[in-house]
Amino acid sequence: MRRAIRSTALLVVLGAVLAVLGSGTAQAAGYRYWSFWEGSGSGWAYATQGPSLVRPADGAVQGFRFAVSADSQDAAKPRHSPDFAKICASTPAEGGAKRVALVIDPGTAADAADGATPPALRTACARVPEDASSAEALASVAKPLRYGSDALLCAISGYPASGCGEQVAGNGDSGQETPADASAPASAGVAVGDDATDGGGPSAGVLVGVAAVLLLGIAAVAQARRRRG
């Protein structure tokens, strides 16, 4: 009888664990957006501020990559090396101005929404005033830019034609467009919001289900003890 009680308890715990793990998989999601990167000799680093706040120095390399990602840990980097000398080779320095090399990577067809075809990756060398921001450098070579109501960078050179930081389910299907705030990913200009599903824990429905499983298990154990008595 003790063995039966132990088996029932183990089944209860296993059911609860599987329910929680299943919830994480079901809620896996990302966001389709333009991420912002800063380049150096060692490669690309995910920017910690939005392009409107960064004021790069002469000789800086900035990257923009359109892709689906949940946060900075899994964000896709621009598919071109941050080579200032090569990108700005034909743009000589001028007094009172600075040069910023830009890599603009619209991503792959897998990242595009509704079967859209992304334009080709391109590079550009922006010559802008010394106090210009990264956003201003981008605007000088890649118009039209489109921004959302929360200053989220939505489109570069008109791509994509619609949408802005929309949530994408784990299976790749787009959900409702999600407004942005400062939580993550921050480098888009403003980040994807906390109000959206963050994929970080089980939903209320799943917790209720786990509680139900536990209650059923407790009832089974109690019934087994009564039979033993």
Side-chain angles (χ1 to χ4, degrees):
M1 186 61 68
R2 288 181 180 177
R3 183 176 299 176
I5 293 175
R6 291 196 188 101
S7 298
T8 301
L10 287 174
L11 287 174
V12 169
V13 173
L14 179 60
V17 171
L18 290 176
V20 172
L21 291 177
S23 72
T25 302
Q27 292 182 15
Y31 299 89
R32 183 179 285 115
Y33 69 102
W34 281 99
S35 57
F36 176 43
W37 300 79
E38 295 181 299
S40 66
S42 59
W44 292 107
Y46 195 90
T48 57
Q49 293 180 303
S52 63
L53 299 177
V54 175
R55 298 189 182 278
D58 180 74
V61 186
Q62 314 269 264
F64 295 84
R65 171 68 191 266
F66 188 75
V68 174
S69 67
D71 53 40
S72 61
Q73 300 303 312
D74 71 347
K77 299 179 180 180
R79 298 168 297 164
H80 190 287
S81 61
D83 190 338
F84 176 83
K86 184 175 182 179
I87 295 172
C88 289
S90 60
T91 306
E94 286 186 359
K98 64 183 177 183
R99 295 167 299 161
V100 180
L102 298 169
V103 175
I104 303 168
D105 185 353
T108 67
D111 296 315
D114 302 324
T117 301
L121 179 153
R122 71 184 184 95
T123 62
C125 186
R127 185 191 283 124
V128 291
E130 292 179 336
D131 64 346
S133 66
S134 298
E136 290 169 325
L138 179 65
S140 72
V141 298
K143 291 180 178 179
L145 303 182
R146 178 166 57 84
Y147 287 90
S149 59
D150 292 316
L152 180 70
L153 178 59
C154 303
I156 298 176
S157 297
Y159 181 81
S162 61
C164 190
E166 62 268 25
Q167 188 174 358
V168 179
N171 60 6
D173 295 332
S174 296
Q176 277 191 323
E177 186 172 310
T178 305
D181 68 9
S183 57
S187 79
V190 209
V192 176
D194 283 333
D195 293 338
T197 301
D198 61 10
S203 66
V206 171
L207 292 176
V208 170
V210 171
V213 172
L214 291 173
L215 288 175
L216 288 173
I218 292 170
V221 171
Q223 183 176 7
R225 286 178 175 175
R226 284 197 299 271
R227 288 176 179 175
R228 182 186 175 193

